[in-house]
Amino acid sequence: HIPAGQRVGLVGRSGSGKTTLMNIIGCMDTATRGSVLLDGRELGRLNAAQLTEIRKNVIGLVFQQFHLIPHLTAVENVMVAQYYHSMTDEKEALEALDNVGLGERAHHLPSQLSGGEQQRVAIARVLASRPAVVFADEPTGNLDSHSTDQVLEILRRSVDGLGQSVVMVTHEPEAAAWADTVIFLRDGHVVAQLDEPD
């Protein structure tokens, strides 16, 4: 159970099922058994169009690989996500970049940005659509410690300021410590849950 406005870390070794669990909750894969309720709706009972609608309007996805379009600037990358969600709004896109500390880098191409900056653009792109739940798959996996701290702080603010829930797959202790609840997986099973770790 993940209440609104909570930070959850999914932790485990490679192959433990972290990403698979996130993909099932995030409507990208279908569970072979059991059930998943997202905002009171059982995902296994929904058709493809309904799942697409949830992916579009309810959830946001952040990946370890930034998946930015290389020939578009940072602000244009954010606006692409707006296009699929509603209407493009450059002012809103610029505000999203300001919120992740990249207002001055808005017109740079991904190749002109550091790895940490590219990840912050990817997060701005997701947060601009204001999803209820953000799923982040190893979002700090390719980053140095300073960039990791910045990304975790941005995700913390999105929970505290917007009431979003964030579910983050990680194997890094400092990222797990950021969470309100840490769920430990092994061989496809939840083996422990720790609430409000120190």
Side-chain angles (χ1 to χ4, degrees):
H1 179 69
I2 300 172
Q6 187 161 39
R7 303 184 304 250
V8 177
L10 300 179
V11 179
R13 295 181 178 176
S14 294
S16 63
K18 304 183 301 293
T19 298
T20 299
L21 178 59
M22 191 191 76
N23 287 347
I24 291 170
I25 302 170
C27 302
M28 293 178 289
D29 285 336
T30 304
T32 53
R33 63 178 184 229
S35 61
V36 178
L37 274 70
L38 182 59
D39 197 23
R41 301 170 77 185
E42 188 173 337
L43 299 184
R45 295 181 182 269
L46 304 182
N47 63 36
Q50 291 170 315
L51 291 171
T52 297
E53 196 66 22
I54 288 176
R55 285 192 296 268
K56 178 180 156 191
N57 295 318
V58 179
I59 65 174
L61 300 164
V62 179
F63 301 97
Q64 183 174 356
Q65 305 300 326
F66 317 123
H67 298 298
L68 301 180
I69 300 171
H71 61 274
L72 298 182
T73 64
V75 69
E76 290 168 339
N77 267 283
V78 174
M79 290 172 70
V80 165
Q82 289 178 328
Y83 173 78
Y84 288 107
H85 184 71
S86 56
M87 295 287 290
T88 58
D89 184 328
E90 185 173 8
K91 183 180 176 187
E92 276 190 9
L94 289 168
E95 286 175 5
L97 288 169
D98 270 335
N99 288 338
V100 298
L102 289 176
E104 295 180 359
R105 309 285 279 167
H107 299 289
H108 287 69
L109 295 170
S111 62
Q112 299 170 314
L113 302 173
S114 70
E117 289 172 333
Q118 290 183 61
Q119 187 61 292
R120 285 188 280 155
V121 172
I123 292 171
R125 180 178 58 192
V126 166
L127 296 181
S129 63
R130 296 179 177 85
V133 185
V134 175
F135 294 101
D137 192 359
E138 299 279 6
T140 60
N142 289 331
L143 306 181
D144 60 30
S145 58
H146 177 69
S147 295
T148 292
D149 291 343
Q150 289 179 313
V151 164
L152 294 177
E153 174 60 19
I154 291 164
L155 292 174
R156 184 195 63 75
R157 286 200 319 262
S158 78
V159 171
D160 294 347
L162 302 174
Q164 294 165 312
S165 300
V166 178
V167 179
M168 180 173 59
V169 168
T170 187
H171 63 272
E172 300 175 8
E174 62 271 26
W178 157 96
D180 300 312
T181 297
V182 180
I183 297 171
F184 297 89
L185 290 99
R186 182 183 302 133
D187 300 328
H189 298 279
V190 173
V191 293
Q193 178 173 320
L194 178 64
D195 294 314
E196 297 183 356
D198 295 325

